[in-house]
Amino acid sequence: MSAPGAAEPEAFRAFEIARDEHRPAYSRPYRGQYNEVYLDLYVPVFQDERFLGTLATVYSVDAILQHLIPQETQHKYKVSILDGNEMPLVSSSSRADKGAINAYEVPLDPPGNGMMLSARGYRTQTDTSQTMLVWVVVSLSAVIIWSLFALWRHTRFRSQAEQALIAETAFRRAMENSMLTGMRVLDMEGRITYVNPAFCRMMGWDEADLLGRPPPYPYWPQGDHAAQWRNTEMLLSGNAPSSGFEMEAQRRDGSIFFARMYVSPLLDQRGVQTGWMTSMTDITEPKRIREALAAAHERFMTVLEGLDDAISVTAETTKGSELLFANKTYRRVLGSQPTGHDELSAGRRGRFTDEAIEVYSSSTHRWFEVRHRMLQWVDGRRVRMQVARDITERRASEEASRAQQEKIQLTSRLITMGEMASSLAHELNQPLTAINNYSMGVVALVRAGDTDPAKLLPALEKTTAQAQRAGMIIRRIREFVKRSEPKRQRVSLATIVDNAAGFAGIESRTRRIDIIQKIPEQLPDVLADPILIEQVALNLMKNGLEAMQDSDGRELLVEANVREDMVEVAVTDTGHGLADPELLFEPFYSTKSEGMGMGLNICRTIIEFHHGRLWAEANPAGGTIFKFTLPWVRPILPAGPAPELESAPKELT
C-alpha cells in the first residue's frame, strides 16, 4: 500500500512512523466523510531491507463501541472513548455526565495516542426478584462471615482450653512425679487402677506389675496377710480413720518398712464414688526417731523424777504464776501449786542470776539452796526454771561443824595457855612479889611512925603499877581464852602482833630468845577478828621459839609488809627447818612428840575465814618462814579535803 493522501494527515504520520521505525503504528483517530471516527493500523513490509510498503487496517471506533460492549453494560454505564484532550470521540449513550454516580477511566493502549476509555455508572431500574436476590446474597454473606467468626472464636477458645489442659496435665504429672508421697487408686472392688511414680519407688514394683491387681497385693509382707486383709476391708468399707493408720509393707527386695496411709473417696464429675484414693508415706525413719525421742524423754523424765532437787517451771500470766512443770520431789515437798515456786523465788523476779541463794521456806520449815534461770518454753514464752535443793541437814551439819570448830579453837587457845601456865605463873609472880614487898615496906614505915608522904607515895605508886601489870596480864589471858562469836572489824595489825608478842615474850625470856618486831609505822588496818588473828600470830611465834630451842640463833623475827591489796606477816625462825612445809597444815600431823597436830590446821582455817592465805617456806639461812596475808582496808582520812591513796582498795564488807 502506498502512503495515504494529504487529506489524511493523522494517517500519514502513522505511515511514516511504521516506515521509519520498522514497527506497526496506530494513527490518531480522525473523522470520516460522514463524521464517523476511524483509527488506522500500518504494518511495514520489507524485503532485503528494502521498504516495499505497508499493510493498512482501518478500524471504525463507532463500530467497536457498538459491537464490543454488552447490552447490559450499556444500560448501566455510559462508555466513551476520549482523545488526548479528554474530548469524547464516540459514546455509547447521550446521557449527561452530571447524573453519573461513579466514573472510571483507563488508558486505551494499544492503540494509545493519548486515548482513554471512560465508563460512567448510572442508577438503573431492577425488578423485585433481582433486589431480593441481592439481599439474600448479602444476608448469606453476613451469616457466613458471622459463622466464620464464631467458628474462629470457638477454635481459639478450644485451642486455649487444650493448651491449658496440656499445661495442667503436665503440671500435675510433674507434681506427681516429684512428690515423695505414694498415691494409689483402688476401685470399689479393691483393684489398683492408678499408682504414681513415688508409690512404685516406695514399693520397688513397676506400674505394669501393680495396675489391675486385686488383693492380696504383691507388697503385702509374708505371714501378715490377715492384718492386711483387715486393713483392706476397713478401707473399702469406708471405715478408715481420717487421721490415717499405720501399716507394714514389703518391698520387692524383701525389706520391710512402716508406712502411714490416708484414705479419701474418689468421686467423678457427677458426684458418684468410683473408688478410693490412698496416699502412703514412709515413716520408718520418723518412727525410729520418734521412738528414740520417746525413749530419751522417758529416760530424761525418769532422771528428773528421781532427782532429790525440787525442779519447777512457771510462767507469768494475767492471773498470776502458772506451774508448767514440777518433778516428783517438788510435788512431794511443795505440792502441785506455784506458791512453793514463788516462795522460793525470794523476791528475785526479773533479777535472776546463775548464783545460788539460800532460802528458808516457812511453809515447810526447811532450808533450800535455790538457783533460777530464764528459759524459752516450747511455745515461745519466757519462763522461769527453779532448782531447789534441800540443805536443811547440811546447814545443821555446818552449824554443828562451826560450833565444833569454835570449840577446837577455844581448846587450842586453852592448850596454849596450859602449855604457858608455868611461864604465866612466873610472870604473875613478879608483880605479886613486888606488891607484897612494897606493901610490907609501907607497913613497916607506918609502924615506925614514919608517915612522911614523900616516902609512902612512891611505894604506893609502884604497888599500884605492879597491880595494874598483873591485872593486865590476867585480862589479856581471859580475853584470849574466852569463847565468843567470830567478828571481823577494823583493827590495827601492829597492835595484834604486839599483843601476841607479849604473850610469846614470857616463853621467849625463859628460852633466852629475843622477839624482834619490824612493823612499819604506816601499816594499814585490816578487817579481822583480833582474838583469832592473835591466836594465829601467837601459835606461829610459839612454834618458832620451840624450833629454835637447840639452835644457835637467838632471834625470832616478826615483820609485816604491804603486798598490793594484802598485808603480809612473816614469822622467821632459825630452827631445824622442815622437810615438807605443806604437811604441817594437815590435820593431826605434828613434828612434836606431845603435839596434837591441829594448831597449824586451825590457823589456816582462821586465815582462810578472813579471805587470806597461810603458808610456810624454807629459810635460806636455815629454819622456816611462816607467812600469812590479810586484806587491808582504806585508811580513815581526817576531816577536810585530802588526797586519796591511789593503791587503797575498797573496804571489804
Side-chain angles (χ1 to χ4, degrees):
M1 178 178 177
S2 61
E8 302 171 355
E10 298 297 336
F12 184 75
R13 281 194 294 272
F15 172 79
E16 289 179 344
I17 292 173
R19 181 191 63 190
D20 297 337
E21 297 182 5
H22 296 189
R23 64 176 180 82
Y26 285 93
S27 68
R28 289 182 179 275
Y30 60 91
R31 293 188 181 275
Q33 182 178 1
Y34 301 101
N35 205 30
E36 299 92 347
V37 179
Y38 294 100
L39 183 67
D40 295 346
L41 171 63
Y42 293 93
V43 180
V45 178
F46 292 90
Q47 184 178 9
D48 298 332
E49 298 298 328
R50 185 170 60 90
F51 179 70
L52 298 180
T54 61
L55 292 178
T57 303
V58 180
Y59 295 97
S60 174
V61 178
D62 294 318
I64 291 174
L65 194 62
Q66 182 179 0
H67 295 290
L68 295 182
I69 297 176
Q71 190 70 26
E72 293 143 0
T73 303
Q74 292 182 10
H75 291 167
K76 296 180 180 179
Y77 297 92
K78 176 184 177 180
V79 182
S80 304
I81 295 178
L82 309 178
D83 60 10
N85 298 322
E86 295 185 358
M87 298 299 295
L89 298 174
V90 292
S91 296
S92 63
S93 175
S94 59
R95 296 176 183 174
D97 293 341
K98 295 182 179 180
I101 59 175
N102 48 32
Y104 305 93
E105 292 181 354
V106 294
L108 192 60
D109 191 13
N113 297 320
M115 290 190 301
M116 302 286 291
L117 179 64
S118 173
R120 299 183 182 275
Y122 297 87
R123 296 186 182 274
T124 60
Q125 296 292 330
T126 59
D127 56 2
T128 305
S129 60
Q130 290 179 342
T131 303
M132 292 181 61
L133 181 61
V134 171
W135 283 107
V136 169
V137 172
V138 172
S139 300
L140 290 176
S141 300
V143 170
I144 292 173
I145 293 173
W146 180 84
S147 300
L148 291 175
F149 178 74
L151 180 61
W152 174 80
R153 287 190 60 191
H154 176 73
T155 304
R156 184 169 175 268
F157 175 77
R158 182 172 180 177
S159 176
Q160 292 176 348
E162 290 177 352
Q163 293 296 329
L165 180 60
I166 293 172
E168 182 70 16
T169 303
F171 173 75
R172 291 182 178 274
R173 177 64 63 180
M175 184 172 61
E176 292 177 4
N177 293 338
S178 62
M179 67 189 309
L180 301 178
T181 302
M183 306 296 296
R184 179 192 63 173
V185 176
L186 304 179
D187 61 13
M188 301 303 293
E189 286 74 29
R191 285 188 298 271
I192 300 176
T193 60
Y194 168 79
V195 289
N196 70 338
F199 188 88
C200 296
R201 290 193 301 268
M202 188 182 300
M203 298 301 176
W205 295 86
D206 297 333
E207 183 178 1
D209 299 327
L210 297 175
L211 293 181
R213 292 289 295 269
Y217 305 119
Y219 47 80
W220 282 6
Q222 298 296 328
D224 193 34
H225 282 199
Q228 298 291 340
W229 272 112
R230 287 194 298 271
N231 290 337
T232 303
E233 291 174 356
M234 176 182 64
L235 186 155
L236 295 176
S237 63
N239 295 324
S242 58
S243 59
F245 60 92
E246 293 185 6
M247 58 170 290
E248 284 186 330
Q250 181 176 349
R251 297 187 180 92
R252 194 167 190 172
D253 59 4
S255 59
I256 302 296
F257 69 96
F258 291 91
R260 189 167 191 85
M261 181 180 292
Y262 299 89
V263 183
S264 60
L266 184 65
L267 307 178
D268 61 9
Q269 64 272 18
R270 297 172 297 175
V272 178
Q273 183 176 353
T274 59
W276 300 93
M277 171 65 76
T278 63
S279 60
M280 185 179 296
T281 305
D282 187 352
I283 62 170
T284 304
E285 186 63 18
K287 183 179 179 68
R288 184 191 66 80
I289 296 175
R290 185 169 62 250
E291 291 176 350
L293 288 176
H297 181 265
E298 183 178 356
R299 292 193 297 270
F300 181 68
M301 291 303 298
T302 301
V303 171
L304 286 182
E305 293 293 338
L307 289 176
D308 293 333
D309 297 345
I311 301 176
S312 58
V313 178
T314 61
E316 290 296 326
T317 64
T318 55
K319 298 181 180 179
S321 298
E322 177 186 359
L323 186 63
L324 301 177
F325 173 80
N327 68 343
K328 182 179 179 181
T329 303
Y330 180 94
R331 298 192 300 270
R332 174 175 54 82
V333 177
L334 300 170
S336 300
Q337 300 298 324
T339 53
H341 183 104
D342 296 338
E343 181 183 10
L344 297 182
S345 296
R348 285 167 32 113
R349 296 182 180 276
R351 303 192 304 274
F352 292 153
T353 60
D354 289 336
E355 69 177 63
I357 60 171
E358 294 184 359
V359 180
Y360 179 74
S361 172
S362 58
S363 60
T364 60
H365 304 290
R366 305 189 71 81
W367 281 92
F368 292 93
E369 183 183 71
V370 185
R371 293 180 182 272
H372 297 270
R373 180 169 294 178
M374 297 299 295
L375 300 175
Q376 186 171 2
W377 199 238
V378 293
D379 56 2
R381 288 185 293 175
R382 295 285 293 174
V383 298
R384 299 182 182 90
M385 184 183 73
Q386 177 178 274
V387 180
R389 175 172 296 178
D390 190 344
I391 59 171
T392 306
E393 296 180 359
R394 191 185 79 184
R395 282 184 64 92
S397 299
E398 290 176 352
E399 290 294 330
S401 176
R402 187 177 62 81
Q404 187 67 24
Q405 186 71 21
E406 292 178 3
K407 292 180 181 179
I408 292 175
Q409 293 173 7
L410 178 60
T411 302
S412 176
R413 293 198 293 271
L414 292 175
I415 291 173
T416 301
M417 289 295 102
E419 293 174 350
M420 299 175 63
S422 59
S423 299
L424 290 172
H426 176 73
E427 188 74 10
L428 288 172
N429 188 53
Q430 290 180 356
L432 292 177
T433 301
I435 291 172
N436 183 54
N437 292 335
Y438 288 135
S439 298
M440 290 176 62
V442 171
V443 170
L445 290 175
V446 172
R447 286 179 178 176
D450 188 0
T451 59
D452 184 5
K455 295 181 179 180
L456 295 178
L457 287 177
L460 292 176
E461 289 176 351
K462 292 180 180 180
T463 301
T464 302
Q466 293 297 324
Q468 290 177 349
R469 176 186 175 191
M472 182 183 65
I473 294 173
I474 294 173
R475 183 173 64 255
R476 287 172 57 192
I477 293 174
R478 181 170 57 83
E479 290 178 353
F480 184 76
V481 300
K482 74 176 181 180
R483 182 173 183 175
S484 61
E485 292 289 332
K487 182 179 180 181
R488 286 184 290 179
Q489 57 188 352
R490 177 192 290 268
V491 293
S492 172
L493 185 60
T495 302
I496 294 176
V497 173
D498 188 64
N499 291 339
F503 278 123
I506 299 173
E507 186 171 347
S508 69
R509 286 190 292 273
T510 303
R511 299 179 185 273
R512 290 184 172 84
I513 298 175
D514 296 330
I515 299 178
I516 308 300
Q517 298 185 46
K518 292 184 178 181
I519 309 298
E521 294 182 359
Q522 300 299 326
L523 189 69
D525 294 342
V526 296
L527 193 68
D529 185 302
I531 299 300
L532 295 180
I533 301 303
E534 185 177 330
Q535 178 181 353
V536 173
L538 177 59
N539 201 326
L540 297 180
M541 294 179 190
K542 186 171 175 295
N543 287 343
L545 293 173
E546 292 175 353
M548 295 172 62
Q549 182 175 355
D550 299 328
S551 67
D552 296 335
R554 296 290 91 190
E555 289 183 354
L556 179 69
L557 178 62
V558 180
E559 55 184 339
N561 294 287
V562 177
R563 299 283 188 263
E564 295 181 355
D565 58 344
M566 293 285 183
V567 175
E568 180 184 276
V569 178
V571 179
T572 305
D573 65 64
T574 56
H576 50 73
L578 300 171
D580 190 351
E582 283 299 320
L583 287 177
L584 291 175
F585 301 99
E586 295 293 330
F588 307 108
Y589 176 82
S590 177
T591 58
K592 298 181 291 185
S593 59
E594 69 278 5
M596 294 190 306
M598 290 298 294
L600 290 176
N601 180 265
I602 293 172
C603 290
R604 172 170 279 187
T605 302
I606 292 173
I607 294 299
E608 290 178 351
F609 169 75
H610 288 80
H611 306 293
R613 179 169 168 256
L614 171 63
W615 71 99
E617 297 176 354
N619 186 359
T624 307
I625 303 176
F626 285 92
K627 296 181 179 181
F628 67 88
T629 59
L630 294 171
W632 61 276
V633 294
R634 189 185 304 276
I636 299 177
L637 300 177
E644 186 177 354
L645 295 178
E646 295 182 357
S647 62
K650 293 183 179 180
E651 181 177 348
L652 299 176
T653 57

